C-alpha cells in the first residue's frame, strides 16, 4: 500500500507543477520535456503492473487462465468460461497456446494500461487530472484486470491519432469488459443534439438493456464468490448515495471551472444529457445489487474528463491549482477509504514474480 501512496503523491506533485507552469504558448522544448516525464511515469505504471501479485479477483483470473490453457480448442475455452467476455477468454487461450504463462498475459495487460495512461497524459487537455482520478481504478488492486484493461482501450480510442488504433481499440474493448460499452456510447452520441423523442427512445432502450444486463451480471457475480462480499453486503442506499456525492463533486468542480474560463469555450467532448441518462441507468442497476456500482465507476471518468478540460483552459493559475488540489484531496481520501475498507480484496505486492 505504501507503494501506491508514493506513486500517487508523485503524480499529484507532477500534475500540480504542470498546471502551475502551463502556458498555452508553451515552447516546443518544454512540451518535449513533459512528454519525457510522462513517459517515465507511464513506464513506472507498466513496471508496477507487470510485476504485481494479488489484487482484486487475482485467484479468479488465475483460474480463468488455467481453464483456457487446458482447453483443446477456442470453443472449448469459451464453454469453460461461459460468463466471461469472449475477447478476454480468447486472449488467455492465445497466450497459453503460444507457450506463454499467466505472467506473459499480465505483461500484455500492463502494456495496454500503460499506453492508455501515456496517451491521456500527453494528448488530452488536462490529461494528468484525469489520470489522477483514475488512480483509484488503476492502482488499487484493479491493475491490471479486465475492467482496467477495457477502460485503457477506451482511453486509447479517445486519445489516439491513428484511425486504425482507434478502431481496433474500440472493437476490442467491449470484448474484454462490458463496462466499456457505455463509455463508447457516450462518446458516439456525445456531440449529437438529440431531440426529446430520441432521448426518450434512448431511455427506453437503456431500461431494457439494464434489465437484461442485470440478469447477466447477477450470474457473473457468482464467479467472484467471497471477493465481492465486502461490497455486495453494503446497503444499496449507502453505495448509491456515495456515488451521487462523488459525481456531484466532479460536476460542481467542472461547472465552476467553466464559469471562470476567460478563453472562448472549447467544444464539449460529451453531451451531459447522454451522460446523465446512462449514469442514471447504471445507478438503477446498483439498486438491484450494490456490486454493480463497480460498473458505474467508469462514468466518473467522463465527468472528470469534462471537468479536467475546463480546468486546463483556465488562465488563472491560482484557481487552476486550487481546483486540482480539491480533486487531489478527494483522491487521497478515496485511496485511504478503499485501503481500509477492502484491505483483503485489494492487497497487492509489487515487484513479485
Amino acid at each position: 500500500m505504501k507503494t501506491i501512496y508514493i506513486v500517487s503523491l508523485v503524480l499529484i506533485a507532477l500534475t500540480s507543477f504542470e498546471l502551475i507552469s502551463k502556458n498555452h504558448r508553451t515552447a516546443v522544448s518544454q512540451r518535449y520535456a513533459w512528454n519525457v516525464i510522462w513517459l517515465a511515469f507511464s513506464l513506472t505504471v507498466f513496471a508496477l503492473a507487470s510485476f504485481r501479485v494479488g489484487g482484486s479477483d487475482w485467484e479468479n483470473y488465475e483460474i480463468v487462465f488455467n481453464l483456457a490453457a487446458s482447453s483443446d480448442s477456442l470453443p472449448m475455452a469459451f464453454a469453460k468460461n461461459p460468463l466471461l467476455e469472449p475477447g478476454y477468454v480468447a486472449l488467455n487461450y492465445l497466450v497459453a497456446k503460444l507457450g506463454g504463462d499467466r505472467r506473459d498475459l499480465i505483461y500484455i495487460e500492463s502494456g495496454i494500461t500503460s499506453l492508455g495512461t501515456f496517451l491521456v497524459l500527453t494528448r488530452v487537455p488536462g490529461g494528468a487530472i484525469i489520470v489522477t482520478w483514475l488512480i483509484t481504478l488503476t492502482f488499487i488492486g484493479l491493475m491490471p484486470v479486465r475492467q482496467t484493461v477495457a477502460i485503457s482501450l477506451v482511453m486509447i480510442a479517445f486519445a489516439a491519432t491513428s484511425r486504425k488504433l482507434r478502431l481496433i481499440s474500440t472493437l476490442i474493448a467491449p470484448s474484454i469488459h462490458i463496462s466499456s460499452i457505455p463509455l463508447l456510447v457516450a462518446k458516439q452520441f456525445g456531440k449529437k443534439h438529440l431531440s426529446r423523442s430520441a432521448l426518450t427512445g434512448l431511455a427506453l432502450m437503456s431500461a431494457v438493456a439494464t434489465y437484461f444486463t442485470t440478469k447477466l451480471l447477477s450470474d457473473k457475480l457468482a464467479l467472484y464468490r467471497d471477493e465481492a462480499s465486502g461490497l455486495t453486503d453494503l446497503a444499496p442506499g449507502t453505495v448509491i448515495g456515495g456515488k451521487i456525492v462523488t459525481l456531484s463533486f466532479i460536476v460542481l468542480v467542472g461547472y465552476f471551472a467553466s464559469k471562470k474560463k476567460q478563453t472562448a469555450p472549447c467544444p464539449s467532448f460529451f453531451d451531459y444529457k447522454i451522460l446523465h441518462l446512462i449514469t442514471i441507468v447504471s445507478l438503477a442497476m446498483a439498486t438491484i445489487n450494490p456490486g454493480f456500482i463497480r460498473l458505474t465507476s467508469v462514468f466518473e471518468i467522463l465527468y472528470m474528463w469534462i471537468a479536467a478540460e475546463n480546468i486546463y483552459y483556465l488562465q488563472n493559475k491560482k484557481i487552476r491549482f486550487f481546483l486540482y488540489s480539491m480533486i487531489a484531496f478527494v483522491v487521497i481520501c478515496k485511496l485511504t477509504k478503499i485501503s481500509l475498507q477492502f484491505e483483503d480484496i485489494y492487497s497487492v505486492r509489487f515487484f513479485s514474480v
Side-chain angles (χ1 to χ4, degrees), residues 37-348:
I37 291 172
W38 291 133
L39 176 61
F41 179 81
S42 300
L43 291 175
T44 301
V45 172
F46 176 78
L48 290 172
S50 297
F51 297 102
R52 83 39 159 128
V53 172
S56 175
D57 309 319
W58 173 267
E59 294 181 0
N60 290 316
Y61 286 120
E62 194 167 37
I63 293 172
V64 170
F65 181 83
N66 291 335
L67 287 174
S70 63
S71 301
D72 295 330
S73 64
L74 186 56
M76 183 182 293
F78 290 146
K80 289 183 177 181
N81 297 282
L83 298 176
L84 289 182
E85 284 79 353
Y88 185 73
V89 176
L91 180 60
N92 279 260
Y93 177 81
L94 180 62
V95 170
K97 293 310 173 185
L98 290 176
D101 56 21
R102 188 166 177 240
R103 182 59 60 180
D104 295 312
L105 174 67
I106 291 176
Y107 291 151
I108 295 173
E109 295 171 329
S110 304
I112 294 172
T113 302
S114 302
L115 177 59
T117 299
F118 178 71
L119 290 179
V120 171
L121 284 170
T122 57
R123 296 185 180 178
V124 176
I129 302 173
I130 301 169
V131 174
T132 299
W133 193 262
L134 281 171
I135 285 176
T136 52
L137 274 178
T138 306
F139 290 141
I140 296 295
L142 295 175
M143 179 179 69
V145 296
R146 289 183 304 121
Q147 187 178 29
T148 307
V149 173
I151 288 173
S152 297
L153 286 168
V154 172
M155 296 297 99
I156 293 171
F158 287 176
T161 55
S162 168
R163 279 189 180 181
K164 290 183 178 179
L165 184 57
R166 289 201 304 266
L167 177 61
I168 292 172
S169 300
T170 300
L171 293 176
I172 295 178
S175 73
I176 300 295
H177 200 278
I178 195 173
S179 63
S180 63
I181 293 178
L183 290 178
L184 295 170
V185 170
K187 172 65 167 64
Q188 179 66 29
F189 292 99
K191 292 184 179 180
K192 298 182 183 297
H193 297 286
L194 300 182
S195 64
R196 187 172 300 178
S197 58
L199 283 172
T200 302
L202 186 58
L204 292 174
M205 290 175 58
S206 300
V208 174
T210 299
Y211 173 77
F212 287 107
T213 304
T214 300
K215 289 185 68 66
L216 171 64
L217 294 180
S218 294
D219 295 331
K220 291 183 70 170
L221 280 181
L223 293 174
Y224 300 106
R225 300 188 301 275
D226 295 335
E227 292 274 349
S229 61
L231 182 60
T232 55
D233 288 345
L234 295 174
T238 301
V239 175
I240 296 172
K243 185 61 62 177
I244 291 175
V245 169
T246 301
L247 292 175
S248 298
F249 165 76
I250 302 173
V251 171
L252 287 174
V253 169
Y255 177 78
F256 181 78
S258 68
K259 293 301 180 183
K260 291 294 181 179
K261 280 194 301 187
Q262 297 174 342
T263 57
C266 49
S268 177
F269 195 64
F270 300 106
D271 186 334
Y272 265 125
K273 284 186 260 186
I274 301 295
L275 186 52
H276 290 336
L277 173 63
I278 301 178
T279 302
I280 291 171
V281 169
S282 63
L283 290 174
M285 293 171 63
T287 63
I288 301 171
N289 190 313
F292 298 145
I293 205 68
R294 187 167 170 179
L295 287 177
T296 69
S297 297
V298 299
F299 299 107
E300 295 179 16
I301 302 170
L302 302 187
Y303 284 103
M304 183 52 67
W305 197 298
I306 299 171
E309 182 184 66
N310 289 331
I311 294 172
Y312 178 83
Y313 284 104
L314 283 173
Q315 291 186 334
N316 190 311
K317 293 183 179 180
K318 291 182 179 180
I319 298 178
R320 192 191 307 156
F321 177 72
F322 171 72
L323 292 177
Y324 177 69
S325 298
M326 291 177 61
I327 292 172
F329 175 75
V330 172
V331 166
I332 294 298
C333 289
K334 289 183 68 177
L335 286 173
T336 304
K337 177 179 180 294
I338 292 173
S339 64
L340 293 175
Q341 190 171 5
F342 303 108
E343 182 177 359
D344 294 335
I345 297 177
Y346 298 116
S347 176
V348 185

